[in-house]
Amino acid sequence: MTSIQEKAIRLLDANAKRGKGYYYTAPSRKKYPHQWSWDSSFHAIANCHLGRPELAKEEILTLLGKMLPDGTLPHIIFHDHSLASISNRLFRFYWPYPSRSPLVQPPVVALAAKEIWQQTEDKRFLKQVLPPLELHFKWLATRRRFRDSNLVSIFSPWESGLDHKPAFDPMLGPFAKLPLGHYFVLYTSEMRMARLKFDPEKIANRGYFNVREVLFNTVCALGLEALGTLFAANDDHYKADSCHSYSETISKAILDECHDATSGLYYDIDVSTGNLLRDTSVSCLMPLALTHIPKDDYEALVDHLTNPDEFWLKYPVPSVPQNSRHFKPASRTYLWRGPTWINTNWFIAEGLRKHGYVELADAISQASRDLVEHSGFREYYNPLTGEGGGVQDFGWSTLAAIM
Ligand code: GLC
């Protein structure tokens, strides 16, 4: 075991929370003490590769155990309400199921479940996770698809996991530009959705924030592929085939609908206008992680990734390219507007390896480990200097230890 792996294990243990009927790893002990859906899934993937699949199992079963009856997988779960922040207490008293968010995050959970299965071949675990995973992906396919597109919609920047990504700015109005206005706009829009009881159909009809986001849909395609593998392991080949074919359908829809022919990048779609939200960020590169993508399209993305004016900085891959007017490498007020994050690096490195770009993948993995060596497991990093930003001892940065 390498020294970074030992440090990763110590951090995952220090952030672990166990109580009556739950086990999970907090993204950060102080600022993010609750369970977040995609964070937990990354923690489980890290634990699996660090030789601790049993902990990974518990974390994923805790998460799936809190699924809402209709198949919504909460983006945040408050297992211990006494840890809730003032803003959470003020603005989130209207959640229909107390302590369980009615919003979602990218369904990384299926990737975590697949990793656990591949490490353990535990049939009991397989049988436990298949029904909730199937329900969640059905919910995404039936309740979150609108107007004949095969792509899934998100209703809040928080659902993307990329909270303050510049592409969302035009959707949020001028108020969001004021200091801390962004947070206010996101909380109040959650309250407007609460008046509609978070009913997806009603939210979509009102024309509120409704975006087909590239990262979210890429993770849906990967998640369905993983679910297909799990069904096949359970000898349910009919369901396995339909997951694989729906995964390919989503991939194709990303390539057809989000593609910008001029640049070769992939942009989110504002469902109310049908327009592409042309502000470049790391999510425009996410099809690098897809399995089904033509070689020419893939190479066009690699050209952007390796362009030193855009994404190929000293510590790649920045959340916003250097030549964007939004590039703020050391921004601390708003997230995802320049710094490098380890989870998006993990997706990109995995994708590059799958497509044979091993040296590039290695370079991203090495840069991620260098960041951790220099600055510790921080929430994000300055892509020019490697300086850490945001919270310390941040959970998913442990992915650097397994890349
Ligand atoms: C921030 C990130 C989000 C993450 C959460 C907990 O809000 O933008 O992706 O899930 O923190 O770490």
Side-chain angles (χ1 to χ4, degrees), residues 60-333:
I60 292 307
L61 290 173
T62 298
L63 176 64
L64 290 174
K66 291 292 179 183
M67 186 174 280
L68 306 188
D70 67 351
T72 306
L73 184 62
H75 95 292
I76 306 179
I77 298 156
F78 299 141
H79 292 279
D80 177 353
H81 222 275
S82 67
L83 300 173
S85 63
I86 294 178
S87 47
N88 276 325
R89 283 165 204 239
L90 273 179
F91 293 109
R92 283 174 160 164
F93 56 87
Y94 47 75
W95 283 355
Y97 292 85
S99 305
R100 290 188 277 171
S101 160
L103 302 180
V104 294
Q105 273 187 326
V108 184
V109 61
L111 306 183
K114 188 189 90 175
E115 290 288 344
I116 295 169
W117 162 252
Q118 289 179 335
Q119 295 265 327
T120 61
E121 303 209 341
D122 177 348
K123 283 264 179 196
R124 184 160 170 267
F125 174 76
L126 194 61
K127 299 220 181 296
Q128 282 172 300
V129 293
L130 274 172
L133 286 177
E134 181 182 12
L135 181 63
H136 181 51
F137 279 92
K138 267 202 182 135
W139 177 86
L140 287 168
T142 52
R143 307 294 317 271
R144 285 299 188 93
R145 277 196 303 131
F146 304 98
R147 301 193 189 165
D148 297 332
S149 173
N150 282 310
L151 298 175
V152 166
S153 281
I154 58 167
F155 289 155
S156 161
W158 279 324
E159 292 202 310
S160 73
L162 311 176
D163 309 12
H164 308 125
K165 183 172 87 164
F168 298 141
D169 289 357
M171 312 281 302
L172 302 176
F175 205 75
K177 292 202 176 82
L178 300 175
L180 298 182
H182 215 285
Y183 291 96
F184 184 77
V185 168
L186 297 204
Y187 275 119
T188 47
S189 79
E190 217 181 284
M191 292 173 85
R192 281 192 304 182
M193 290 192 267
R195 284 206 291 275
L196 304 174
K197 303 207 169 354
F198 292 94
D199 181 310
E201 208 60 43
K202 289 187 182 149
I203 293 170
N205 288 340
R206 287 289 171 97
Y208 293 163
F209 185 102
N210 184 341
V211 171
R212 299 186 185 121
E213 208 245 348
V214 177
L215 183 145
F216 197 101
N217 278 282
T218 300
V219 177
C220 283
L222 297 174
L224 281 159
E225 226 169 76
L227 189 54
T229 305
L230 296 177
F231 273 124
N234 201 37
D235 291 328
D236 192 338
H237 297 287
Y238 176 76
K239 284 187 181 169
D241 289 348
S242 54
C243 284
H244 284 298
S245 101
Y246 185 34
S247 167
E248 283 183 44
T249 304
I250 293 193
S251 305
K252 191 167 176 311
I254 297 173
L255 301 178
D256 290 347
E257 296 173 34
C258 302
H259 189 233
D260 169 50
T262 318
S263 64
L265 289 166
Y266 297 83
Y267 290 103
D268 303 344
I269 298 166
D270 169 4
V271 177
S272 61
T273 61
N275 294 337
L276 293 182
L277 296 166
R278 289 174 205 269
D279 238 315
T280 309
S281 71
V282 68
S283 72
C284 302
L285 298 180
M286 284 308 288
L288 285 169
L290 288 175
T291 306
H292 303 284
I293 165 165
K295 192 138 187 60
D296 289 352
D297 295 337
Y298 203 84
E299 274 169 10
L301 282 179
V302 170
D303 287 346
H304 285 282
L305 171 70
T306 53
N307 181 344
D309 294 329
E310 296 179 82
F311 293 99
W312 205 249
L313 307 188
K314 185 161 182 215
Y315 298 100
V317 181
S319 43
V320 165
Q322 183 165 224
N323 61 357
S324 159
R325 69 197 161 98
H326 296 292
F327 178 68
K328 298 211 169 41
S331 157
R332 283 172 195 261
T333 326

